[in-house]
């Protein structure tokens, strides 16, 4: 059973009191009223005719293409009623509200504005040319140029932190790529520019020559700076020979017949030394030994390279040797050969007075006029002989492979004596001898004995045949001389003689010549 509320009395209709309620009256709900709809508002905000839902349905009419579009479609009824002209109003644009805006004869509205479709909301939209201004002529005013930005210097770009490092790296990579691409393009263009030319790779045997230590080229390269050309001029004429620098003090060893032009030593000769590098300097004669055909000259200029002295006693037949000198004036010439023989007695200048006699090294290395005085070196580049003479079949003295050099073991004491004292003394037996060969005896026959000499004191007599001096057999007079000179002054040497068909040995104390 429901209770009904009486708004006039404020109590239930059955007259019973509500438990816990006071005597104050209670208000009922306010009555709901709907004011009438304004026709203007309904026309503006209401749904168009024929529209029942919340949205207008999409028109199914034909949509014109871009070329067919001439005017805008009609505005929806809601927009037309909201923003359109009032019914019966034919005015295109609203005019000023009063005449005060047109004072002083100035119309604030453009006379053509009424016909301007851009100002007429009802004007149809027509697609036309782009809305750009007219082309400017040559005489039109040009805009002012923008001020140029300040250029950056290279230090500012690299170190001024004005450009990012990544940008610099990118620029560098781009430059390399462009350069490489240009090079490749140029290569292909040049390579195909002419059908008759192209790149060709020629075969090579080796990239470079190998010159190991001990080769001929290595020896020549080390020895040649110590070999000089000696030019001599005197009243008798002029000549050219060779020499070897044996001491850093400027001492040069050569042949006696080079500095004397084959004659006696004179005080008027001019000696010029030409080094391997072309340097020319004056030289002075220190001393000479005509019996060994050796001489020493000295220069005052600095000497950069000195030849190393070897040992001729260590040579063997067949060893490789090099002859270096100025044959026929051709300076700095190197020839190659071998040792053909050892201990070959050679007599030079016998017809001119005192002959030069030495125990020679025979070689087939080419030796010609001008090689005289030059060095003969072994495979280590050490000096083992002084080139002195040749045997030739012509008067011009061309080489036929028979050349002779004074062993350095015999030349060294002579050079040392000349450098120390300016002269040389040799061991002497005190006899004159001639070669002899017979069925009963072979050796050197004594032709005369110098009174008071070493042979006289030992009892050697005229016509005795000397067959041996010390350990060396004597086959001829030249061997007798070189055998005696191998000993020192004052040495006691056993000498084997043949006298009256019998052999005897005497002890001889060698004296100085």
């Amino acid at each position: 059973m429901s209770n009904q509320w009486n708004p006039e009395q404020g109590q239930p209709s059955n007259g019973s009191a509500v438990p816990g309620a006071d005597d104050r009256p209670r208000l009922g709900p306010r009555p709901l009223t709907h004011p009438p709809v304004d026709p203007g508002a309904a026309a503006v905000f209401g749904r168009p005719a024929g529209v029942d839902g919340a949205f207008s349905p999409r028109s199914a009419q034909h949509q014109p293409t871009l070329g067919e579009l001439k005017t805008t479609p009609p505005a929806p009824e809601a927009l037309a009623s909201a923003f359109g002209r009032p019914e019966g109003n034919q005015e295109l644009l609203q005019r000023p509200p009063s005449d005060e805006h047109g004072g002083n004869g100035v119309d604030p509205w453009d006379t053509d504005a009424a016909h301007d479709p851009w100002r007429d909301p009802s004007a149809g939209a027509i697609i036309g040319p782009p809305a750009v201004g007219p082309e400017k002529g040559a005489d039109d005013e040009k805009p002012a140029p923008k001020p140029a930005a300040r250029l950056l210097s290279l230090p500012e770009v690299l170190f001024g932190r004005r450009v990012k490092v990544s940008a610099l790296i990118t620029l560098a990579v781009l430059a390399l790529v462009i350069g490489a691409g240009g090079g490749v393009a140029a290569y292909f263009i040049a390579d195909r520019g002419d059908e008759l030319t192209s790149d060709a790779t020629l075969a090579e045997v080796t990239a470079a020559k190998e010159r190991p230590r001990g080769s001929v080229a290595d020896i020549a390269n080390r020895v040649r700076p110590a070999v000089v050309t000696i030019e001599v001029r005197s009243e008798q004429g002029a000549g050219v020979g060779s020499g070897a620098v044996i001491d850093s003090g400027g001492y040069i060893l050569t042949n006696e017949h080079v500095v004397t032009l084959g004659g006696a030593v004179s005080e008027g000769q001019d000696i010029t030394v030409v080094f391997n590098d072309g340097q020319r300097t004056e030289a002075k004669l220190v001393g000479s030994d005509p019996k060994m055909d050796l001489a020493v000259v000295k220069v005052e200029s600095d000497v950069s390279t000195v030849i190393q002295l070897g040992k001729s006693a260590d040579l063997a037949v067949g060893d490789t040797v090099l002859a270096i000198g100025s044959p026929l004036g051709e300076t700095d010439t190197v020839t190659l050969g071998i040792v053909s023989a050892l201990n070959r007695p050679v007599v030079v200048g016998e017809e001119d007075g005192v002959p030069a006699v030495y125990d020679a090294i025979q070689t087939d290395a080419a030796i010609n006029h001008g090689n005289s005085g030059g060095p003969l070196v072994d495979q280590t580049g050490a000096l083992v002989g002084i080139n002195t003479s040749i045997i030739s079949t012509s008067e011009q003295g061309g080489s036929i492979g028979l050349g002779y050099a004074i062993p350095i073991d015999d030349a060294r004491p002579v050079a040392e004596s000349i450098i120390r004292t300016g002269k040389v003394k040799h061991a002497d037996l005190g006899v004159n001898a001639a070669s002899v060969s017979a069925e009963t005896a072979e050796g050197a026959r004594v032709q005369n004995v110098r009174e008071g000499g070493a042979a006289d004191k030992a009892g050697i007599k005229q016509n005795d045949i000397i067959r041996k001096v010390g350990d060396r057999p004597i086959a001829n007079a030249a061997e007798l001389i070189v055998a005696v000179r191998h000993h020192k002054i004052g040495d006691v040497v056993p000498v084997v003689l043949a006298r009256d068909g019998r052999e005897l040995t005497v002890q001889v104390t060698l004296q100085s010549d």
Side-chain angles (χ1 to χ4, degrees):
M1 175 176 165
S2 61
N3 294 327
Q4 296 183 354
W5 183 262
N6 188 352
E8 296 180 358
Q9 296 179 0
Q11 294 184 2
S13 57
N14 56 3
S16 62
V18 178
D22 52 15
D23 296 335
R24 289 176 299 177
R26 296 189 178 273
L27 298 179
R30 179 176 297 176
L32 180 63
T33 61
H34 295 279
V37 178
D38 180 45
V44 173
F45 300 103
R47 295 186 179 91
V51 178
D52 297 332
F55 297 97
S56 175
R58 185 178 301 273
S59 175
Q61 297 179 359
H62 171 69
Q63 297 294 333
T65 60
L66 182 62
E68 298 174 348
L69 182 62
K70 297 299 182 180
T71 61
T72 56
E77 184 179 355
L79 295 179
S81 62
F83 302 101
R85 298 182 184 89
E87 183 178 358
N89 188 355
Q90 300 297 327
E91 187 178 4
L92 298 178
L93 293 177
Q94 182 180 0
R95 307 308 296 170
S98 64
D99 295 335
E100 61 183 1
H101 295 283
N104 299 325
V106 178
D107 187 2
W109 293 89
D110 191 355
T111 58
D112 296 331
H115 305 287
D116 187 357
W118 290 98
R119 300 190 182 186
D120 186 2
S122 298
I126 300 176
I127 298 177
V132 295
E135 295 184 0
K136 293 185 178 180
D139 297 333
D140 293 342
E141 185 177 338
K142 296 181 179 180
K146 296 182 179 179
R150 188 178 69 87
L151 301 179
L152 299 179
S153 63
L154 181 61
E156 289 178 326
V157 172
L158 297 178
F159 311 109
R161 297 183 179 179
R162 303 295 297 274
V163 181
K164 292 184 178 181
V165 177
S166 59
L168 293 177
I169 296 175
T170 303
L171 290 176
V173 172
L174 288 176
L176 290 176
V177 172
I178 293 173
V184 172
Y187 167 79
F188 282 103
I189 292 173
D191 186 51
R192 292 165 173 78
D194 191 346
E195 295 180 355
L196 298 179
T197 60
S198 63
D199 291 338
T201 302
L202 302 182
E204 294 182 358
V205 177
T206 55
K209 295 292 184 182
E210 294 185 0
R211 297 181 178 89
R213 185 170 182 83
S215 64
V216 174
D218 173 66
I219 297 171
N221 184 59
R222 290 188 284 112
V223 175
R224 284 167 41 228
V227 181
V228 300
T229 300
I230 300 177
E231 299 176 352
V232 181
R233 292 178 175 83
S234 68
E235 296 179 355
Q236 288 79 19
V240 177
S242 305
V245 181
I246 59 173
D247 186 82
S248 60
Y251 292 101
I252 299 171
L253 180 61
T254 185
N255 284 140
E256 189 265 349
H257 75 264
V258 170
V259 296
T260 63
L261 299 177
V265 176
S266 63
E267 299 295 334
Q269 75 267 32
D270 294 327
I271 304 174
T272 302
V273 171
V274 183
F275 287 89
N276 172 264
D277 59 0
Q279 178 186 357
R280 302 173 66 90
T281 183
E282 182 182 356
K284 299 295 184 181
L285 178 63
V286 179
S288 63
D289 180 12
K291 292 183 178 180
M292 289 288 294
D293 195 14
L294 293 172
V296 175
V297 298
K298 186 177 186 298
V299 297
E300 298 300 331
S301 60
D302 295 335
V303 177
S304 59
T305 305
V306 176
I307 198 167
Q308 301 298 312
L309 303 187
K311 290 185 178 181
S312 54
D314 294 337
L315 289 176
V317 174
D319 283 349
T320 300
V321 288
L322 277 71
I324 307 176
S326 304
L328 304 176
E330 300 294 335
T331 61
D332 199 25
T333 298
V334 179
T335 56
L336 176 67
I338 63 170
V339 175
S340 303
L342 295 170
N343 302 321
R344 186 79 76 189
V346 174
V347 180
V348 180
E350 188 173 3
E351 67 279 0
D352 298 332
V354 180
V357 183
Y358 49 87
D359 226 4
I361 302 170
Q362 181 180 329
T363 178
D364 66 349
I367 296 175
N368 293 279
H369 292 300
N371 276 115
S372 296
L376 185 73
V377 299
D378 60 11
Q379 289 178 305
T380 67
L383 177 64
V384 293
I386 301 296
N387 301 318
T388 303
S389 61
I390 61 174
I391 294 178
S392 179
T393 57
S394 64
E395 294 181 359
Q396 288 77 17
S399 173
I400 60 172
L402 293 175
Y404 301 96
I406 302 173
I408 191 61
D409 292 351
D410 297 338
R412 180 171 184 168
V414 174
E416 290 174 344
S417 178
I418 292 175
I419 292 173
R420 286 196 306 265
T421 64
K423 56 186 178 179
V424 182
K425 293 293 183 180
H426 297 283
D428 184 59
L429 188 60
V431 299
N432 291 328
S435 300
V436 63
S437 178
E439 294 181 359
T440 57
E442 182 183 50
R445 181 187 297 273
V446 178
Q447 292 181 323
N448 58 68
V449 179
R450 188 172 66 246
E451 184 178 356
D456 185 30
K457 293 181 179 180
I460 298 176
K461 299 179 180 181
Q462 188 178 359
N463 294 325
D464 286 347
I465 298 176
I466 301 176
R467 302 183 60 185
K468 191 174 184 181
V469 175
D471 295 332
R472 178 165 181 168
I474 305 300
N476 52 49
E479 285 193 356
L480 175 62
I481 297 174
V482 298
V484 172
R485 287 179 183 171
H486 281 173
H487 296 279
K488 296 179 181 179
I489 300 173
D491 286 350
V492 178
V493 181
V495 177
V496 177
L497 305 173
R499 180 186 297 171
D500 298 332
R502 61 188 181 91
E503 186 177 272
L504 68 154
T505 300
V506 297
Q507 300 295 324
V508 179
T509 301
L510 300 178
Q511 297 179 356
S512 174
D513 57 0

